[in-house]
């Protein structure tokens, strides 16, 4: 045990990030036009034969900052209006009411409400963010989006350290996720769900690498759950040690069947529990108990829709290939992440009577894109060539179809020509 703890501490020291270097390069990137800055930062990392953690994090920060700047030009619409109003309400409602009314319009419907929301962390983000950004909403969105993406990518980095030649998968995985239409389109619409899961993805990636839950990780898990209750699903994965082991086919099938059964019976079990409505600890249980038949405007998930096929078919192929045919070749880090992906997909299928929950949990699979891309092929050279092709396709289609997004952003010409700083302070968003 002492040897494991010592090796863990040594590895931690070796992986320290030179944040001064990251901030310095990021500052220059923020001043460059994207058509210059993005190719430079990609080339900066792609040409490194033995890239350091600092160089990877610099790359992550630049791409995340760019996506954050593009998001900052979005005019609030759809569900985002609730989050926008909550942010703008901060100086009027104060700290406590910010925790109560995480959906801003709710304050005007019932200003006397005093029970804090079960997802109160969103109120904290709004309160701190409002004063940090001096009430300038686009800057808040830029920082918020940047933080979300960085959390996911840092989780991907920890996971990728245990892969065979992870350099190209890291470079391409970042591009595929950040310029992935389905992910980008929803970042500000289901804002708290995506941010909560981003926190959880960091925890999953870190735990997958080290197999150790630290105090910091437990705190992050709590923050994730109080950002969005749906992340309760991931907590058992962090507690079941066998998920980091090489499970037999029989054990894998048994665990899968038990998990599916629990998901199907979940609303009934939650409904039988005695909880007080509105309490922080009871919030997730109450939502689960009320989830049967609940749908939103998106309706139930259609598995023949292109968005599901784009995600599910490659993911199911990778899971079958790795967990069923090649599982003995996997290390504990890979086994853990792939087992979680399998259980998440099974949960989505099992939620056939919970259309809203089914659709929301399906969207969680978007975050796993950079985690399963390295398994596109077992041959490293072939894998890298395919990933470069997919990354190039993701990057190009992002701009080709950008103005077809139903939400209003800056013109595509501007997000190519204008620097991230100019995008954030360009006064594009309209109410």
């Amino acid at each position: 045990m002492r040897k494991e703890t010592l090796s863990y501490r040594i590895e931690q020291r070796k992986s320290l990030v030179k944040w001064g270097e990251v901030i310095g390069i990021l500052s220059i990137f923020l001043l460059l036009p994207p058509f210059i800055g993005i190719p430079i930062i990609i080339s900066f990392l792609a040409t490194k034969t033995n890239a350091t953690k600092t160089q990877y994090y610099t790359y992550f920060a630049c791409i995340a900052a760019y996506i954050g700047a593009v998001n900052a030009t979005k005019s609030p619409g759809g569900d985002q209006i609730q989050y926008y109003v909550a942010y703008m309400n901060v100086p009027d409602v104060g700290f406590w009411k910010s925790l109560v009314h995480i959906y801003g319009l709710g304050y005007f419907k019932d200003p006397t409400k005093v029970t804090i929301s079960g997802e109160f962390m969103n109120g904290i983000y709004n309160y701190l963010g409002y004063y940090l950004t001096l009430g300038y909403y686009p800057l808040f969105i830029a920082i918020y989006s940047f933080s979300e993406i960085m959390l996911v990518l840092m989780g991907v980095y920890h996971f990728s350290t245990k892969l065979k030649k992870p350099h190209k998968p890291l470079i391409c995985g970042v591009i595929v996720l950040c310029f992935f239409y389905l992910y980008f389109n929803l970042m500000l619409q289901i804002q708290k769900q995506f941010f909560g899961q981003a926190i959880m993805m960091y925890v999953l990636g870190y735990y997958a690498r080290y197999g150790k839950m630290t105090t910091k990780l437990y705190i992050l898990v709590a923050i994730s759950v109080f950002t969005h209750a749906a992340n309760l699903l991931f907590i058992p994965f962090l507690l079941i040690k066998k998920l980091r082991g090489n499970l037999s086919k029989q054990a894998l099938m048994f665990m899968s069947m038990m998990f599916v059964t629990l998901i199907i019976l979940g609303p009934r079990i939650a409904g039988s529990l005695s909880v007080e409505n509105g309490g922080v600890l009871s919030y997730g249980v109450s939502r689960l108990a009320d989830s049967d038949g609940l749908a939103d405007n998106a309706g139930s998930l259609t598995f023949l829709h292109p968005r599901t096929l784009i995600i599910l078919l490659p993911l199911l192929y990778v899971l079958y290939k790795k967990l069923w045919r090649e599982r003995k070749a996997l290390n504990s880090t890979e086994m853990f992440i792939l087992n979680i992906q399998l259980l998440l997909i099974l949960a989505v299928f099992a939620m056939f009577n919970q259309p809203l929950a089914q659709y929301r949990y399906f969207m969680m699979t978007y975050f796993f894109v950079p985690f399963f891309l390295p398994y596109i092929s077992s041959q490293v050279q072939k894998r890298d060539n395919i990933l470069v092709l997919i990354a190039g396709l993701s990057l190009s289609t992002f701009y080709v179809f950008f103005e077809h997004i139903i939400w209003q952003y800056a013109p595509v010409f501007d997000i190519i020509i204008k620097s991230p700083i100019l995008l954030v302070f360009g006064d594009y968003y309209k109410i």
Side-chain angles (χ1 to χ4, degrees):
M1 182 64 71
R2 290 182 177 178
K3 289 183 178 180
E4 291 179 1
T5 303
L6 181 60
S7 62
Y8 169 77
R9 289 176 178 174
I10 292 174
E11 189 171 356
Q12 287 291 87
R13 292 194 193 100
K14 288 182 178 179
S15 62
L16 293 177
V17 176
K18 299 177 182 177
W19 287 108
E21 183 177 324
V22 174
I23 293 172
I25 296 176
L26 176 61
S27 300
I28 297 173
F29 176 85
L30 291 174
L31 300 174
L32 295 175
F35 75 92
I36 295 176
I38 292 177
I40 286 177
I41 200 63
I42 294 175
S43 300
F44 160 79
L45 188 61
T47 55
K48 298 290 185 295
T49 56
N50 191 22
T52 64
K53 184 177 181 180
T54 297
Q55 290 166 341
Y56 281 119
Y57 274 41
T58 300
Y59 171 64
F60 298 164
C62 290
I63 299 298
Y66 173 67
I67 296 298
V70 175
N71 265 336
T73 70
K74 181 181 181 295
S75 296
D79 291 348
Q80 186 194 358
I81 292 175
Q82 293 273 10
Y83 300 117
Y84 167 77
V85 174
Y87 170 87
M88 298 305 295
N89 280 351
V90 164
D92 296 323
V93 304
F95 179 73
W96 181 264
K97 288 283 187 175
S98 292
L99 307 187
V100 174
H101 297 285
I102 61 170
Y103 299 108
L105 296 177
Y107 172 74
F108 301 101
K109 294 178 181 179
D110 184 11
T112 62
K113 184 180 177 183
V114 295
T115 304
I116 69 171
S117 168
E119 295 167 344
F120 65 87
M121 285 304 303
N122 296 280
I124 294 178
Y125 305 145
N126 284 326
Y127 187 84
L128 296 179
Y130 183 89
Y131 292 107
L132 177 65
T133 59
L134 304 178
Y136 186 60
Y137 185 67
L139 179 58
F140 171 74
I141 287 301
I143 295 174
Y144 193 98
S145 301
F146 171 84
S147 302
E148 176 185 319
I149 294 171
M150 280 298 293
L151 284 164
V152 179
L153 297 184
M154 289 189 293
V156 173
Y157 172 82
H158 284 298
F159 161 72
S160 297
T161 58
K162 301 301 182 180
L163 294 176
K164 183 178 181 181
K165 296 187 177 180
H167 189 55
K168 285 287 178 65
L170 270 173
I171 296 173
C172 297
V174 170
I175 295 172
V176 174
L177 175 67
C178 294
F179 293 92
F180 181 35
Y181 170 83
L182 292 177
Y183 172 68
F184 175 81
N185 189 39
L186 291 170
M187 283 185 71
L188 301 181
Q189 298 309 307
I190 50 175
Q191 184 173 308
K192 61 188 177 66
Q193 176 180 334
F194 270 23
F195 195 81
Q197 189 179 349
I199 298 170
M200 187 62 75
M201 296 308 295
Y202 173 79
V203 173
L204 294 176
Y206 191 99
Y207 177 76
R209 178 181 183 181
Y210 294 107
K212 180 181 178 65
M213 284 296 291
T214 63
T215 302
K216 179 183 77 172
L217 293 188
Y218 281 117
I219 293 172
L220 288 175
V221 167
I223 293 173
S224 172
V225 171
F226 288 127
T227 299
H228 199 274
N231 291 296
L232 284 166
L233 178 76
F234 294 100
I235 292 180
F237 303 157
L238 297 168
L239 301 177
I240 302 174
K241 297 294 184 181
K242 287 187 177 296
L243 288 177
R244 292 190 82 251
N246 201 331
L247 295 172
S248 66
K249 290 182 179 180
Q250 292 80 5
L252 186 62
M253 290 178 64
F254 176 76
M255 181 178 292
S256 299
M257 291 173 60
M258 292 295 293
F259 183 71
V260 168
T261 302
L262 181 61
I263 292 295
I264 294 174
L265 298 178
R268 296 181 184 178
I269 296 173
S272 67
L273 298 176
S274 176
V275 295
E276 295 181 5
N277 291 331
V280 173
L281 296 178
S282 69
Y283 186 76
V285 176
S286 299
R287 291 189 64 172
L288 178 59
D290 297 335
S291 65
D292 259 350
L294 186 63
D296 61 8
N297 293 332
S300 60
L301 190 66
T302 302
F303 286 98
L304 293 180
H305 192 284
R307 69 168 174 257
T308 56
L309 296 178
I310 288 172
I311 296 294
L312 290 184
L313 288 184
L315 181 51
L316 290 173
Y317 165 75
V318 165
L319 293 175
Y320 165 73
K321 181 181 177 183
K322 292 298 178 181
L323 290 179
W324 199 256
R325 294 172 53 191
E326 303 174 8
R327 67 188 187 286
K328 292 183 179 180
L330 299 173
N331 59 46
S332 59
T333 295
E334 295 173 299
M335 184 66 74
F336 175 72
I337 290 295
L338 291 174
N339 280 336
I340 288 179
Q341 292 180 49
L342 173 63
L343 294 176
L344 177 59
I345 290 295
L346 291 175
V348 171
F349 280 106
M351 291 175 179
F352 56 86
N353 198 37
Q354 306 166 54
L356 174 58
Q358 184 185 54
Y359 185 65
R360 291 302 181 100
Y361 277 101
F362 165 72
M363 290 186 288
M364 286 185 170
T365 60
Y366 300 168
F367 287 81
F368 285 93
V369 167
F371 288 88
F372 77 75
L373 281 176
Y375 302 105
I376 290 295
S377 175
S378 298
Q379 300 177 20
V380 173
Q381 187 61 49
K382 183 179 178 181
R383 176 202 70 184
D384 289 351
N385 290 337
I386 294 174
L387 291 181
V388 169
L389 180 63
I390 295 175
L393 187 64
S394 297
L395 191 58
S396 58
T397 54
F398 178 81
Y399 293 106
V400 170
F401 296 108
F402 182 77
E403 293 192 336
H404 294 280
I405 298 176
I406 62 173
W407 315 113
Q408 182 181 348
Y409 296 84
V412 66
F413 181 80
D414 286 15
I415 69 168
I416 294 174
I417 298 296
K418 292 189 176 181
S419 69
I421 287 291
L422 291 179
L423 291 176
V424 173
F425 293 98
D427 195 27
Y428 287 100
Y429 85 106
K430 307 296 179 185
I431 302 298

